[in-house]
Amino acid sequence: METSQQKEQFSNAYLQAVTSVAGYSLYKPAVDDDSVDWGIAARGIIGRIRSPRLELQLKSTSRDVMKDNAISYPLKLKNYDDLRMVDFVIPRILIVVLLPDNPDEWVQQSEQELCMRYCGYWLSLRGMPETQNTSAVTVTIPRNNQFTVAALESIMQGIGQGIQP
Amino acid sequence: MKVTVEDAQIIKNIEPQELRDYLQSHGWYEDGQFLDNATIWHKQVAEEGEFEILLPNTKNVRDYILRIREAIETLAASENLSQLEILSNFINNYPNLKLQGFVTQIATPHEYKLSGEITIVCPVFDKLRKIKTELKDHNYILAIKAYQERLPIVCMGDLSKENDIFVLKSPRSFQIDNI
């Protein structure tokens, strides 16, 4: 398997792990869309909305994108433009999963635990400005935007209250 | 015999109001707003549970095709029909449709010109349907030959539904299909 495919599958597994623990279901969009890899759906009333939903683009990288307080990730211009728009029915976010260069280091497993390295970070590009760049835009994701179970729950609860991420 | 349709093109042509009318007439109820750009619809189906659809307020939302595609999927599941059967309820005007079928009727030709109405039978959205179209000159002769020799034909055109009758407008690339 190509390393890029391995990374994609690993980031899928990371997303599935977080979503499962949060108690939401993952779905693949009904139509092939360059900027949506997955959707997340909650079941049952959260706030004012019966079934909050979120859609996302999932990226993975082992490049050195970590700065002091943020991740600087170069995003293709098309993806940037698709994700920054405000007129979607279902809100969209970007998730970037950082992982070690060597696949042997991605998972550490024992009888007590399964540790996945390193971490995913999320960002909403909603309402970000148009750019003059021609191929890619480097987006900055705060390090405290870790894509954790609590973060996902918070995003979904927000959507349930009518607050877009 | 088959028909090929660009899904995205079909879905783009479905008006939110058409879908809203369909939901209202098929036992769905509106259950509030979903954020800024859609309404939530629910339907309880015996032994199946509750189904949910997000109906965009306008065609201008960027995920319109995604949402309508989902709605078609959900309607098909809730009514135990194929997605194409559901889609057929929304066929009003679908451009660039390729038909593949048989000429089953040649209407009386026009008196002073080589043209007339023909009927093609072909599958459209999972059902065999009659489609009327007007041909002239060489295409009309081809249609007569196909009718007499029972040969399949292919034809492109813009399908529309008028009083529950399918009509192929601007027929083009009409030819006898070489199987």
Side-chain angles (χ1 to χ4, degrees), chain A residues 27 29-31 33 49-53 55 85-92 126 159 162-164, chain B residues 29 31 33-38 40 42 50 52 54 56 60-63 65-67 69-70 73:
Chain A
Y27 63 88
V31 179
D33 185 313
I49 291 178
R50 290 269 299 267
S51 309
R53 284 169 63 180
E55 291 188 333
M85 296 301 173
V86 298
D87 46 358
F88 289 106
V89 169
I90 296 178
R92 293 184 175 187
R126 189 171 187 273
I159 294 169
I163 302 162
Q164 306 231 19
Chain B
Y29 68 95
D31 206 2
Q33 281 284 322
F34 183 88
L35 299 176
D36 301 330
N37 296 317
I40 308 169
H42 285 117
E50 187 178 56
E52 179 176 278
L54 291 181
N60 299 327
V61 292
R62 288 177 186 273
D63 48 353
I65 291 175
L66 268 174
R67 301 288 76 87
R69 197 83 187 81
E70 263 176 17
E73 270 188 15

Side-chain angles (χ1 to χ4, degrees), chain A:
Chain A
M1 186 188 287
E2 295 278 329
T3 309
S4 60
Q5 283 178 294
Q6 276 184 283
K7 287 178 182 173
E8 186 182 326
Q9 288 200 12
F10 185 81
S11 60
N12 286 342
Y14 176 93
L15 175 67
Q16 284 164 348
V18 171
T19 308
S20 307
V21 177
Y24 305 137
S25 55
L26 270 175
Y27 63 88
K28 278 282 187 185
V31 179
D32 193 24
D33 185 313
D34 284 347
S35 295
V36 179
D37 296 310
W38 292 98
I40 298 174
R43 276 274 160 224
I45 298 170
I46 299 181
R48 287 188 281 117
I49 291 178
R50 290 269 299 267
S51 309
R53 284 169 63 180
L54 174 70
E55 291 188 333
L56 60 97
Q57 178 151 57
L58 186 59
K59 298 286 188 187
S60 55
T61 183
S62 57
R63 278 181 289 173
D64 183 18
V65 293
M66 181 77 83
K67 308 294 178 206
D68 288 343
N69 294 313
I71 286 92
S72 294
Y73 183 79
L75 188 63
K76 281 183 189 167
L77 180 62
K78 183 188 182 309
N79 296 145
Y80 176 82
D81 277 338
D82 285 347
L83 291 168
R84 72 183 181 83
M85 296 301 173
V86 298
D87 46 358
F88 289 106
V89 169
I90 296 178
R92 293 184 175 187
I93 62 168
L94 170 70
I95 296 176
V96 180
V97 176
L98 270 53
L99 63 176
D101 202 28
N102 181 358
D104 292 342
E105 298 173 17
W106 291 359
V107 165
Q108 183 181 315
Q109 192 172 5
S110 71
E111 284 183 297
Q112 278 73 44
E113 66 176 6
L114 174 68
C115 170
M116 301 174 81
R117 293 204 178 90
Y118 294 113
C119 184
Y121 299 84
W122 72 275
L123 182 69
S124 170
L125 280 74
R126 189 171 187 273
M128 283 197 175
E130 193 178 350
T131 174
Q132 299 302 314
N133 296 13
T134 54
S135 60
V137 179
T138 299
V139 295
T140 302
I141 310 175
R143 279 182 67 175
N144 55 12
N145 270 25
Q146 291 168 31
F147 187 72
T148 60
V149 173
L152 176 58
E153 286 172 343
S154 173
I155 294 168
M156 296 299 269
Q157 281 163 9
I159 294 169
Q161 300 290 348
I163 302 162
Q164 306 231 19

Side-chain angles (χ1 to χ4, degrees), chain B residues 41-103:
Chain B
W41 291 73
H42 285 117
K43 183 181 183 181
Q44 194 71 38
V45 178
E47 294 175 15
E48 295 284 341
E50 187 178 56
F51 289 85
E52 179 176 278
I53 283 175
L54 291 181
L55 176 64
N57 295 338
T58 76
K59 286 170 86 170
N60 299 327
V61 292
R62 288 177 186 273
D63 48 353
Y64 189 73
I65 291 175
L66 268 174
R67 301 288 76 87
I68 300 300
R69 197 83 187 81
E70 263 176 17
I72 299 293
E73 270 188 15
T74 304
L75 286 172
S78 68
E79 296 180 30
N80 203 19
L81 295 172
S82 75
Q83 291 180 34
L84 287 176
E85 281 175 294
I86 297 292
L87 264 181
S88 69
N89 291 290
F90 303 103
I91 302 169
N92 287 311
N93 178 23
Y94 291 112
N96 294 319
L97 192 67
K98 183 184 179 187
L99 302 178
Q100 200 167 14
F102 287 91
V103 179

